[in-house]
Amino acid sequence: MTKKLKDVTGSAKKEVNLGGRPPVVLTDEQVAKIETLASVLRIEQIADYFGISHVTFYEIMKRDPRVSLNYKRGKAAAVEGVASNLVAKCHSGDV
């Protein structure tokens, strides 16, 4: 990881290597898969699916709004499915 630093006068200095691991970046296909996975899995399980820690997955969600959006869409779809089935059962007198 490198970061451009500025000196006190505001002029740019050369990039400084801050060390550490490079950030994990999900492919477009992996980002799309999150919506499907989120409808049935918890964050910890999704992270396991991709071979990363749940902390790393949270960091990816912070960095990449597509990941966060797909996760929320997947969870919302699951809730909508359960709610629809419950309403249908109520209407048929099954509940």
Side-chain angles (χ1 to χ4, degrees):
M1 173 188 286
T2 60
K3 184 175 183 179
K4 288 190 178 190
L5 301 178
K6 293 185 178 184
D7 64 15
V8 291
T9 63
S11 62
K13 284 186 162 184
K14 75 177 207 175
E15 291 186 2
V16 176
N17 185 346
L18 299 177
R21 290 185 176 178
V24 175
V25 178
L26 299 179
T27 65
D28 290 339
E29 293 81 20
Q30 289 172 320
V31 171
K33 183 76 173 170
I34 289 170
E35 188 170 341
T36 304
L37 295 173
S39 67
V40 293
L41 299 178
R42 298 183 335 261
I43 284 183
E44 292 80 8
Q45 294 168 316
I46 295 171
D48 287 343
Y49 178 86
F50 291 119
I52 57 177
S53 74
H54 69 278
V55 174
T56 299
F57 188 78
Y58 280 113
E59 289 300 319
I60 293 169
M61 285 178 63
K62 286 181 195 175
R63 276 196 325 263
D64 190 343
R66 300 173 308 149
V67 173
S68 180
L69 180 64
N70 282 3
Y71 178 77
K72 290 175 184 177
R73 281 183 181 160
K75 285 298 180 192
V79 170
E80 187 272 332
V82 170
S84 293
N85 287 338
L86 183 58
V87 168
K89 286 188 176 282
C90 287
H91 286 298
S92 69
D94 205 11
V95 178

